[in-house]
C-alpha cells in the first residue's frame, strides 16, 4: 500500500493533538491526519454524516479516552460493535494508566493501548512507534 | 394506682423524674407493700400495677419504666413471660422477680434466662438494694453501649475519611497529569527549538520551568504509587520473605553492583502479606541503605526474629544513619532531610514502607545514631498456622523434657 495513509485522531486537547500531528507530519510515509475533538464527532466522521459526508474512511484511529460528550470508551464500543467499522484498528492513546481502563479497552476490542508519556522525547517516540508499527510493519485490511 | 409521692426527696432512683415501676402482681396488697418498701428507702415511686400479658404490653407501649417487679407465678401470667415481651419489643428494662416461694434452682434458672435478680416476699428488706443495683447495672450497660456506638461511629468515620483521602490523592494525581504534561512538553519544546534564539536569561527561565514540571511529574507519580498501596493491598495470602528479598535484590542489581554492596540475609519466615508489597518494602529499605551509604563499603544485613505472636524484621546498614530527632520524620510523605543535589528522590519511599507495614497490622521504626548506620525494623503478625506450629513444637519440647526426667 503506497498511497497516503489516513489517520483519524480523536483528542480534545489541542496541545496533545498538535504534538501528535507534529510527529506524524515528519514521518517518511505521507499521512493525512483528520482531528476531531469529541466522541460524537468521531462517530459522525466514521459514518460520514453531516459535515463529514465527504470524509474518507481512515486506516487507523488514534483515540483518547476522556473526551467531552461521548467518551473514548463509548466510541470504541460502538466502532467494534459495528460490522461496517469493526475491522478498523483502534489505538487508545490516553493519559490514563489505570489498570481498569486498560482491561476494559482490550475487552472492548482495542488493538493496542498506549499511555501518553509525560516526557516530550518519549511522547514523540510513542507516536512514532505507533505510526511505524501500523504503517511500516502491520498488514491492514483493504 | 397511686402516683402520689410520699417521700419528696429525690436523692434516690437515679433520675430526677423519680422511679417508674411496673409491678406485675395480682394481689394489690402485695404490690402496695413492695411500693411502700421502696418509698421507705427514699425512692420517689411512680408505679403501675397489672396482672395480664396484654396489660403489660399496653403499659410498656405507653411508659418508659426503670424497673419491672414481677411475681413469679400468677394465674394469668408467669413472671418470666415479661422477659419475652421485653425481648420482642427490644426493650432493656431490668426485671426483678418478687415472689412468695422459689426454689434456689428455679431462681438461678430465672437469672440465667435474663432476670436481674429475685427477692422473696418475706425478705422485702432486700428489695431496695436489689432495685438500686439493677438501676446501676442498666446505667453501666447503657453507658457501655453508648461508648461502643461512639467508637464504632468514629472507626467508620475514620475509615471513610481515609478512603476519601486516598480517592482524592488518586484522582488528583491522575487529573493533574494531563495539564502538567502540556506544560512539561511545551516548555521542553521551547527549550529544544528556541535555545539561544532568545537571550541567556530566557534560556535559564525555560530551564527552570522544564525542571519544575519534570519534578512535579515525579511527585505525582510517587503520590499515585503511595495512594495505590491502599488500593491493591487486599491479598493476605502467605508470602515467603526470602523470595521477596531475593526479588528486591534482583531489582536493585545495578545499584548493588555499582556500589559493591555486601548483602547478608539470614533465613526469613513466611508471613501473611501481599507478595508485591513485601517486595516493594524490602526494595525501598535496601535501596535506601544503598543511597544513604557511608564512606565504608556498604554492608546490609536482613534478618528476622520471632517475638511472641509477631515477627520482627530488621534491615541493618552501616550508612550515614539518622539523627534521633528525625527518626519519626523520615516516615512522613514528601519529607526529605537532604537537598536534591545531595541525594535525589521525593521522600516517598519510607512513607510507602510505613503504609505497607501498617496495612498488614505491623509497626515500623528505626534504631540509629547519626553516622552509626541504621537498623530499620518492622513487624508482621505471624501466620496463624505458624503460631499453632510453634505451640505444638513447644509442647513437644516440653513433653520430651518431662519424659527425660
Amino acid at each position: 500500500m503506497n498511497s497516503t495513509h489516513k489517520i483519524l485522531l480523536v483528542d480534545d486537547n489541542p496541545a496533545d493533538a498538535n504534538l501528535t500531528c507534529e510527529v506524524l507530519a515528519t514521518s517518511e510515509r505521507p499521512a493525512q491526519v483528520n482531528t476531531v475533538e469529541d466522541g460524537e464527532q468521531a462517530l459522525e466522521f466514521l459514518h460520514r454524516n453531516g459535515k463529514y459526508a465527504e470524509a474518507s474512511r481512515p486506516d487507523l484511529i488514534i483515540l483518547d479516552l476522556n473526551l467531552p460528550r461521548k467518551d473514548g470508551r463509548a466510541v470504541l464500543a460502538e466502532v467494534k460493535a459495528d460490522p461496517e467499522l469493526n475491522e478498523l484498528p483502534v489505538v487508545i492513546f490516553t493519559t490514563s494508566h489505570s489498570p481498569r481502563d486498560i482491561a476494559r479497552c482490550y475487552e472492548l476490542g482495542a488493538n493496542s493501548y498506549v499511555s501518553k508519556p509525560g516526557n516530550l522525547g518519549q511522547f514523540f517516540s510513542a507516536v512514532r512507534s505507533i505510526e511505524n508499527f501500523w504503517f511500516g510493519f502491520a498488514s491492514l485490511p483493504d | 394506682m397511686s402516683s402520689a409521692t410520699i417521700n419528696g426527696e429525690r436523692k434516690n432512683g437515679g433520675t430526677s423524674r423519680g422511679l417508674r415501676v411496673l409491678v406485675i402482681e395480682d394481689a394489690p396488697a402485695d404490690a402496695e407493700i413492695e411500693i411502700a418498701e421502696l418509698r421507705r428507702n427514699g425512692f420517689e415511686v411512680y408505679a403501675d400495677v397489672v396482672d395480664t400479658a396484654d396489660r403489660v404490653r399496653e403499659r410498656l407501649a405507653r411508659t418508659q419504666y426503670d424497673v419491672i417487679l414481677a411475681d413469679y407465678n400468677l394465674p394469668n401470667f408467669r413472671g418470666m413471660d415479661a422477659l419475652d415481651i421485653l425481648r420482642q419489643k427490644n426493650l432493656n428494662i431490668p426485671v426483678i422477680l418478687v415472689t412468695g416461694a422459689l426454689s434456689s434452682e428455679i431462681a438461678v434458672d430465672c437469672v440465667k434466662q435474663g432476670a436481674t435478680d429475685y427477692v422473696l416476699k418475706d425478705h422485702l428488706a432486700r428489695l431496695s438494694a436489689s432495685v438500686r443495683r439493677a438501676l446501676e447495672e442498666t446505667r453501666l450497660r447503657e453507658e457501655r453501649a453508648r461508648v461502643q456506638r461512639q467508637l464504632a461511629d468514629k472507626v467508620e468515620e475514620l475509615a471513610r475519611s481515609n478512603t476519601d483521602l486516598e480517592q482524592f490523592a488518586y484522582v488528583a494525581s491522575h487529573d493533574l497529569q494531563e495539564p502538567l504534561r502540556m506544560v512539561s512538553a511545551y516548555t521542553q519544546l521551547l527549550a529544544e527549538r528556541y535555545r539561544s534564539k532568545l537571550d541567556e536569561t530566557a534560556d535559564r527561565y525555560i530551564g527552570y520551568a522544564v525542571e519544575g514540571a519534570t519534578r512535579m511529574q515525579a511527585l505525582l507519580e510517587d503520590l499515585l504509587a503511595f495512594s495505590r498501596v491502599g488500593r491493591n493491598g487486599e491479598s493476605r495470602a502467605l508470602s515467603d520473605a526470602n523470595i521477596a528479598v531475593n526479588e528486591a535484590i534482583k531489582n536493585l542489581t545495578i545499584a548493588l553492583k555499582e556500589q559493591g554492596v555486601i548483602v547478608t540475609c539470614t533465613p526469613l519466615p513466611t508471613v501473611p502479606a501481599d507478595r508485591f508489597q513485601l517486595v516493594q518494602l524490602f526494595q525501598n529499605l535496601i535501596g535506601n541503605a544503598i543511597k544513604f551509604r557511608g564512606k565504608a563499603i556498604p554492608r546490609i544485613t536482613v534478618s528476622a526474629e520471632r517475638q511472641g505472636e509477631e515477627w520482627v524484621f530488621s534491615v541493618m546498614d552501616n550508612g550515614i544513619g539518622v539523627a534521633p530527632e528525625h527518626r519519626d520524620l523520615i516516615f512522613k510523605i514528601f519529607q526529605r532531610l537532604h537537598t536534591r543535589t545531595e541525594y535525589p528522590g521525593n521522600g516517598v519511599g519510607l512513607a510507602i514502607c510505613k503504609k505497607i507495614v501498617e496495612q498488614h497490622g505491623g509497626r515500623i521504626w528505626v534504631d540509629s545514631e547519626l553516622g552509626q548506620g541504621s537498623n530499620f525494623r518492622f513487624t508482621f503478625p505471624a501466620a496463624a498456622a505458624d503460631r499453632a506450629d510453634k505451640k505444638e513444637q513447644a509442647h513437644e519440647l516440653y513433653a520430651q523434657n518431662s519424659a527425660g526426667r
Side-chain angles (χ1 to χ4, degrees), chain B residues 78-294:
Chain B
R78 289 182 57 250
M80 293 304 287
D81 294 345
L83 286 170
D84 289 334
I85 295 173
L86 288 176
R87 263 193 284 274
Q88 277 161 22
K89 292 186 176 287
N90 211 7
L91 287 171
N92 209 349
I93 306 170
V95 175
I96 298 172
L97 294 173
V98 184
T99 180
L102 200 60
S103 81
S104 57
E105 262 169 46
I106 294 174
V108 168
D109 200 46
C110 290
V111 171
K112 264 188 200 159
Q113 286 177 53
T116 304
D117 198 2
Y118 67 95
V119 175
L120 299 179
K121 282 186 178 169
D122 47 8
H123 285 89
L124 270 189
R126 268 197 65 234
L127 186 62
S128 293
S130 175
V131 167
R132 224 165 260 135
R133 213 183 59 212
L135 292 176
E136 182 62 12
E137 276 173 14
T138 308
R139 195 184 63 76
L140 284 177
R141 196 167 47 235
E142 277 167 3
E143 177 69 13
R144 201 161 45 231
R146 196 179 56 78
V147 170
Q148 269 167 358
R149 250 189 335 267
Q150 271 178 352
L151 200 68
D153 286 352
K154 274 271 176 291
V155 167
E156 197 190 324
E157 192 185 308
L158 218 64
R160 200 170 40 234
S161 84
N162 250 343
T163 317
D164 285 352
L165 209 66
E166 253 154 38
Q167 186 69 15
F168 170 77
Y170 191 77
V171 170
S173 37
H174 240 269
D175 290 353
L176 291 176
Q177 270 181 334
E178 180 162 323
L180 184 58
R181 201 186 54 247
M182 288 164 66
V183 175
S184 160
Y186 281 90
T187 47
Q188 283 178 67
L189 216 54
L190 268 180
E192 272 175 28
R193 296 193 184 163
Y194 295 88
R195 189 179 309 280
S196 61
K197 285 186 183 155
L198 302 167
D199 58 14
E200 260 179 48
T201 316
D203 284 352
R204 201 172 69 243
Y205 288 178
I206 293 171
Y208 291 152
V210 170
E211 193 196 317
T214 309
R215 190 189 299 167
M216 182 86 170
Q217 282 178 319
L219 283 170
L220 282 187
E221 262 161 42
D222 285 342
L223 194 62
L224 257 175
F226 182 78
S227 67
R228 257 189 229 124
V229 172
R231 305 166 73 86
N232 303 333
E234 253 86 273
S235 163
R236 287 288 182 282
L238 290 182
S239 301
D240 186 339
N242 298 291
I243 296 175
V245 170
N246 281 339
E247 189 84 7
I249 287 173
K250 210 167 73 193
N251 295 342
L252 293 166
T253 308
I254 297 170
L256 286 166
K257 277 202 180 136
E258 265 177 11
Q259 306 303 331
V261 185
I262 301 164
V263 184
T264 317
C265 187
T266 64
L268 301 175
T270 292
V271 286
D274 181 85
R275 191 160 62 92
F276 298 104
Q277 291 194 355
L278 204 57
V279 173
Q280 195 180 10
L281 176 60
F282 282 116
Q283 190 170 323
N284 286 4
L285 290 176
I286 297 171
N288 265 3
I290 304 170
K291 193 202 271 186
F292 298 103
R293 63 188 175 273

